[in-house]
Amino acid sequence: LVKVELINTGSELMLGRVLNTHQQWLCRRLADLGFVVTRQVAVADTARDIQQAVQESLSRATLVITTGGLGPTSDDITRELIAQMLGRRLHEDAAVSRQIDEFFAHRNRPRPVGTHVESMVPDGAIVLPNHYGTAPGLALAIDADPAKTGSNESGRKWLIMLPGPPRELRPMFDLAVTPWLHRELKPEFFACRTLRSTGIGESIVQEMVAPPLAALVAAGLEIGYCARPGAVDVRLTASGESAARLVAQGQTIVEKVLGKNIFGYDDEEIEQVVIRRLTEQKQTLALAESCTGGAIAHRLTNVPGASVVFRGGIVSYSNDAKQTILGVKTETLLAHGAVSEEVAAEMAAGVRAALGADYALAVTGIAGPGGGSESKPVGTVYLALAFPGGVKVKKQLNAWDRETFKQVTAQQALELLRVTLLKI
Ligand code: ATP
Ligand code: MG
């Protein structure tokens, strides 16, 4: 097994100013290539922190990847520090320098003096070209001194330095690091499948799937659960020769146990599934959203090709908008209140007629923190679906913070449509 460690440098990460997306992106890419990261750490841009982290990782791992700190400013010290630590001299690389010249010439800008450091390369390093910026990445082979380590392992370790900006790091990883990894290191057989479910809480999901998977787990299958707003992911992973078989067998069992509660696989979102189904069935959709404030429309319009089936949505936040645009009756509002089964049904039917759609979803609820009552506590939501044969309404209690409330409610509305479309 190749041990891989990841070190993300940057004081902005420690201050919470920037989300450490490299952590997720690189771990994911590496896993897909058959290298599972065994440890990951983020450190500030100080010499002591970076040096200590690199030294520790090199003592454990075969491949160490650092991110950030290759640029021209005073806080960019990764290259110099690592060269110094490993006793490598830095020399100016003429080809890199020329590329940086070209980078600025192409943009009609004078090359800043500070970028000189970016053309400095530690002796013996492999240069990983940067197609979207100036500082190249660097790969260093480090041959452990057997006298010093006292070990008789094969000894060779690798250190790869990647730049901080994601739009530079990602293409560099795909274009330069991936082929290098294939050449230098033997990947582990690794398989991963995520089954995404909705409508069942995470502990119940575990109670349902864990017992029938026990035999596969004994054979090396690993199960992970990830609860998200309105959804639970079941992740099956395995490594070694039988990885693919274990994961495939596990998948069959989970599919059987969770059945129609599985809405998709891996990165698939419920809105993609719904748009695909509607497209296949040549049906259209309209929305009337109150408490979700357009969150459902946002999710649907994230899907390329949504325009074929999504006719539009109304954010009818006020009673007035519900009446004038959707035709919700004054009597209904007075008799039952805006958050009610009856109003939800009239909203759905109203927007379906107004936009001439086959299906229409409507949501009305109390997001909180104020506005709840004994009979309608904060979190009360009515979801309605108008379809060619009528209207159905579902009541939910989503007592979360406002943001989670909107996400969960949007998920439930899309789920109501998904299961209805399954039956057609
Ligand atoms: P530059 O040449 O732009 O200075 P650099 O290699 O020196 O690049 P940093 O200065 O460490 O990299 O980071 C540059 C920018 O990249 C940061 O401001 C941040 O927006 C982004 N960045 C750095 N590290 C991460 C990370 N782990 N996750 C997401 N974004 C990051
Ligand atoms: Mg920088």
Side-chain angles (χ1 to χ4, degrees), residues 7-13 17-24 26 40 42 45 67-73 75-79 118 130 133-136 162-170:
I7 302 169
N8 301 114
T9 72
S11 300
E12 69 275 16
L13 301 173
R17 303 290 151 185
V18 169
L19 178 66
N20 185 0
T21 58
H22 293 342
Q23 189 271 325
Q24 185 193 27
L26 286 170
Q40 176 274 332
D45 290 316
T67 66
L70 298 180
T73 56
D75 55 357
D76 295 325
I77 53 176
T78 308
R79 180 193 306 99
E118 297 178 343
N130 188 340
T134 50
L162 298 175
R167 72 189 154 75
E168 299 178 20
L169 173 140
R170 294 179 183 192

Side-chain angles (χ1 to χ4, degrees), residues 287-289 314 316 321-328 346-351 354:
L287 300 174
E289 299 186 64
I314 307 289
S316 50
K322 292 182 183 71
Q323 288 171 282
T324 54
I325 305 175
L326 304 177
V328 173
E346 287 187 16
M347 286 169 69
V351 82

Side-chain angles (χ1 to χ4, degrees), residues 63 250 413:
L63 171 62

Side-chain angles (χ1 to χ4, degrees), residues 24 65 69 98 161 187 203 207 216 227 229 236 256-258 267 278 341 358 362 366 391 395 408 419:
Q24 185 193 27
I65 299 177
R98 210 165 41 242
M161 293 172 248
S203 41
E207 280 172 28
L216 292 174
L236 304 175
K256 205 161 139 205
V257 173
L258 297 182
D267 290 325
L278 287 167
E341 184 179 329
D358 300 304
I366 304 163
V391 182
K395 184 182 179 182
V408 170
V419 295

Side-chain angles (χ1 to χ4, degrees), residues 134-188:
T134 50
L138 299 163
L140 281 167
I142 302 159
D143 287 307
D145 179 355
K148 220 152 101 195
T149 57
S151 80
N152 51 3
E153 293 174 57
S154 70
R156 175 166 273 206
K157 298 186 172 234
W158 291 94
L159 197 152
I160 296 184
M161 293 172 248
L162 298 175
R167 72 189 154 75
E168 299 178 20
L169 173 140
R170 294 179 183 192
M172 186 182 293
F173 186 87
D174 287 340
L175 296 172
V177 180
T178 302
W180 175 89
L181 279 170
H182 280 306
R183 271 198 314 276
E184 292 296 333
L185 298 168
K186 193 171 164 291
E188 181 86 349

Side-chain angles (χ1 to χ4, degrees), residues 7 10 13 31 57 153 182 209 214 231 243 280 333 336 366 386 390 406 413:
I7 302 169
L13 301 173
S57 287
E153 293 174 57
H182 280 306
V209 304
E280 282 164 7
L333 280 165
H336 305 283
I366 304 163
K406 287 168 78 174

